[in-house]
């Protein structure tokens, strides 16, 4: 079964930053220790520091439903989300291609670039193949750390591309002249407050792919 990548983009006003950091840290602890999760992390917009992006990788769709359901609906998390007052734009994606990355964990690198494009039905295949070729070519740039191509679960004609970088300079060297679509760059948000300790009942194992 294919991995599921949850891409959550949102704005965090400065006056809500402290409340969001506490909620986010608690969410990260719960997700990262859950069976079926392959990691979650947050990056902050380089051009707009109020614009944030969280990536969460799951082993498969069952794991995503199980982990997200238990984490997001727990009483303590519901309260923290309400207090933070942040409403994310969440996109669930199916990973169709990975390059230069571990098969087991979400990569956490200093920078990640993100783009998304929508196509007419069937036309996304040509774009995916073009992205694969482009990413294999830019992998020779010093500072390239790997890439992911994913299609939106509900609308597979929408293609998301993420490339992980060691530095902003490495990313800038990869840009084509006058790209005709938007590419956003995010930096690692390594200033989040430590996660509070959370007492909770032990989590049951994640059902296997053949479990009904």
């Amino acid at each position: 079964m294919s991995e599921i990548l949850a891409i959550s983009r949102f704005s965090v006003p400065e006056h809500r930053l402290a409340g969001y950091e506490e909620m986010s840290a608690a969410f990260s602890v719960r997700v990262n220790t859950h069976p079926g999760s392959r990691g979650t992390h947050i990056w902050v917009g380089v051009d707009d520091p109020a614009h944030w992006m969280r990536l969460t990788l799951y082993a498969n769709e069952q794991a995503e439903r199980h982990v997200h359901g238990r984490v997001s609906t727990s009483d303590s998390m519901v309260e923290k989300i309400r207090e933070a007052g942040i409403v994310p734009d969440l996109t669930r994606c199916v990973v169709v291609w990975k390059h230069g990355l571990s098969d087991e964990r979400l990569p956490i690198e200093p920078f990640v670039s993100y783009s998304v494009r929508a196509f007419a039905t069937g036309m996304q295949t040509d774009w995916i193949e073009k992205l694969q070729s482009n990413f294999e070519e830019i992998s020779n740039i010093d500072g390239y750390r790997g890439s992911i191509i994913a299609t939106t679960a509900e609308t597979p004609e929408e293609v998301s591309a993420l490339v992980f970088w060691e530095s902003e300079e490495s990313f800038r060297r990869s840009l084509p002249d006058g790209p005709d679509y938007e590419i956003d760059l995010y930096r690692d948000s390594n200033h989040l407050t430590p996660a509070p300790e959370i007492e909770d009942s032990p989590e049951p194992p994640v059902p296997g792919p053949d479990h009904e």
Side-chain angles (χ1 to χ4, degrees), residues 11 13 16 19-20 23 79-88:
S11 294
R16 292 190 178 275
Y20 175 74
M23 183 275 291
E79 179 63 19
K80 290 182 184 298
I81 292 171
R82 185 191 65 78
E83 291 174 353
I86 306 300
V87 181

Side-chain angles (χ1 to χ4, degrees), residues 53-171:
M53 179 173 69
R54 175 187 285 277
L55 302 178
T56 307
L57 187 64
Y58 301 95
N60 51 51
E61 186 176 3
Q62 279 191 314
E64 186 265 341
R65 290 199 305 265
H66 180 79
V67 175
H68 187 268
R70 289 191 57 89
V71 170
S72 299
T73 59
S74 68
D75 291 341
S76 60
M77 283 307 306
V78 168
E79 179 63 19
K80 290 182 184 298
I81 292 171
R82 185 191 65 78
E83 291 174 353
I86 306 300
V87 181
D89 176 13
L90 176 64
T91 303
R92 295 175 60 256
C93 298
V94 178
V95 176
V96 297
W97 190 79
K98 293 167 71 174
H99 181 264
L101 300 174
S102 165
D103 289 335
E104 297 299 327
R105 299 299 299 173
L106 175 75
I108 299 176
E109 298 292 345
F111 292 87
V112 58
S113 57
Y114 170 77
S115 67
V116 58
R117 298 188 72 183
F119 298 87
T121 302
M123 299 300 294
Q124 73 273 17
T125 302
D126 291 341
W127 178 243
I128 291 172
E129 292 176 353
K130 181 178 180 180
L131 283 175
Q132 292 173 339
S133 176
N134 289 347
F135 291 167
E136 288 173 349
E137 182 176 346
I138 66 174
S139 67
N140 294 317
I141 296 176
D142 186 31
Y144 170 90
R145 291 292 181 263
S147 52
I148 294 175
I149 301 173
T151 57
T152 302
E154 289 74 19
T155 53
E157 297 82 13
E158 190 173 75
V159 181
S160 294
L162 299 110
V163 184
F164 299 86
W165 302 98
E166 181 181 26
S167 67
E168 182 175 352
E169 180 185 4
S170 301
F171 162 72

